[in-house]
């Protein structure tokens, strides 16, 4: 009996939307609010009231969508990483089929996002740390997946061969890690260096490694 009522209620339209549609819309509003508030004020300074005010919804709806601010932060983080990943892949796919041009296009989108969207940079590079063990696990898993995706892209742009005493997986991980840490340093220093300098400096690391493995002098 209860399942029948729940099903009919979920399918009932109000203002042209079903209950499930309205819930999804409210959840999306809170994710957008989280991106704005966490990016502007930081996770620890953000309150449920501030998140609700940004979303234009009540606390009742907040707890309908998320059990806590931490749960919302986790969803915000996954959303931003997904968007960044899609943008980087699209930029590389649209770039000329020349290694440096393709790598430059991906790096430009990555760093440009960090500069144009400082709130995104703050969430992805700074606020993610030290919230809880659960968020730490999310960070490690998400970073691992993002790094693996970038490794696959980088390996098609700059294919490396296993050396006698080297492992390409470790090298690719180091290259991706260097990009993330350059972005973190750049963000913390208020984007002091021009975007072009940051992109080209990061690209230089990839090119140097590729030449080293090709037997050329970097």
């Amino acid at each position: 009996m209860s399942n029948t009522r729940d099903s009919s209620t979920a399918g009932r339209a109000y203002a042209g939307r079903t209950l499930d549609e309205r819930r999804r819309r409210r959840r999306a509003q809170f994710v957008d609010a989280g991106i704005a508030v966490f990016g502007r004020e930081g996770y620890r300074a953000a309150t449920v009231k501030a998140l609700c005010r940004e979303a234009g919804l009540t606390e009742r709806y907040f707890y309908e969508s998320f059990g806590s601010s931490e749960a919302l932060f986790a969803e915000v983080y996954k959303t931003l990483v997904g968007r960044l990943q899609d943008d980087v892949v699209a930029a590389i796919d649209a770039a000329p089929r020349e290694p440096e041009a393709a790598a430059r296009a991906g790096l430009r989108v990555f760093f440009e996002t960090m500069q144009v969207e400082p709130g995104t940079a703050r969430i992805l590079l700074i606020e993610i740390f030290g919230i809880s063990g659960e968020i730490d696990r999310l960070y490690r898993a998400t970073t691992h997946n993002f790094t693996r995706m970038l490794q696959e892209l980088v390996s098609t742009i700059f294919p490396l061969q296993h050396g006698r005493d080297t492992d390409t997986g470790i090298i690719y991980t180091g290259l991706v890690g260097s990009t993330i840490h350059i972005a973190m340093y750049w963000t913390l220093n208020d984007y002091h260096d021009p975007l072009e300098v940051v992109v080209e400096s990061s690209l230089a690391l990839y090119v140097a490694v590729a030449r080293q493995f090709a037997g050329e002098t970097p």
Side-chain angles (χ1 to χ4, degrees), residues 21-61:
E21 288 172 337
R22 296 197 301 276
R23 284 175 174 165
R24 285 194 295 271
R25 181 180 176 83
R26 288 193 292 266
R27 184 178 178 87
Q29 285 177 253
F30 277 118
V31 171
D32 288 342
I35 292 172
V37 176
F38 294 142
R40 185 174 63 240
E41 302 176 15
Y43 171 77
R44 289 157 189 81
T47 64
V48 171
K49 287 185 182 298
L51 292 164
C52 290
R53 186 165 54 249
E54 185 76 29
L57 296 168
T58 65
E59 289 189 35
R60 166 197 168 192
Y61 290 127

Side-chain angles (χ1 to χ4, degrees), residues 4 15 19 28-29 79 82 85 101 117 123 125-126 131 141 170 175 187 189-192 199:
T4 301
L19 177 60
Q29 285 177 253
T79 298
Q85 177 174 310
E117 303 176 16
I123 291 168
L125 302 175
I126 300 170
I131 292 175
I170 295 174
L175 286 173
T187 300
N189 282 276
D190 295 323
Y191 311 101
H192 175 74
V199 171

Side-chain angles (χ1 to χ4, degrees), residues 88-213:
V88 169
V89 171
I92 291 174
D93 286 344
R97 295 295 88 191
E98 188 273 320
E100 289 190 31
R104 181 180 287 109
L107 288 168
R108 175 179 294 279
V109 166
F110 177 80
F111 287 113
E112 196 168 49
T113 299
M114 298 301 105
Q115 184 181 43
V116 175
E117 303 176 16
T120 293
R122 180 174 184 172
I123 291 168
L124 295 185
L125 302 175
I126 300 170
E127 294 298 321
I128 187 66
F129 297 108
I131 292 175
S132 70
E134 189 64 29
I135 295 297
D136 288 345
R137 285 187 287 275
L138 170 64
Y139 170 76
R140 288 194 296 271
T142 304
T143 301
H144 174 74
N145 292 335
F146 188 63
T147 300
R148 185 172 58 186
M149 182 276 296
L150 289 179
Q151 283 177 4
E152 292 173 359
L153 287 173
V154 171
S155 66
T156 64
I157 299 170
F158 295 116
L160 306 181
Q161 300 297 322
H162 281 288
R164 185 178 63 182
D165 299 316
T166 59
D167 182 274
T168 56
I170 295 174
I171 293 170
Y172 286 131
T173 298
L175 286 173
V176 173
S178 73
T179 303
I180 293 172
H181 279 277
I182 288 171
M184 187 181 299
Y185 174 83
W186 191 44
T187 300
L188 290 172
N189 282 276
D190 295 323
Y191 311 101
H192 175 74
D193 297 298
L195 173 64
E196 289 296 330
V197 171
V198 175
V199 171
E200 293 302 319
S201 297
S202 184
L203 176 62
L205 295 174
Y206 290 82
V207 173
V209 170
R211 288 177 178 172
Q212 176 70 29
F213 274 76

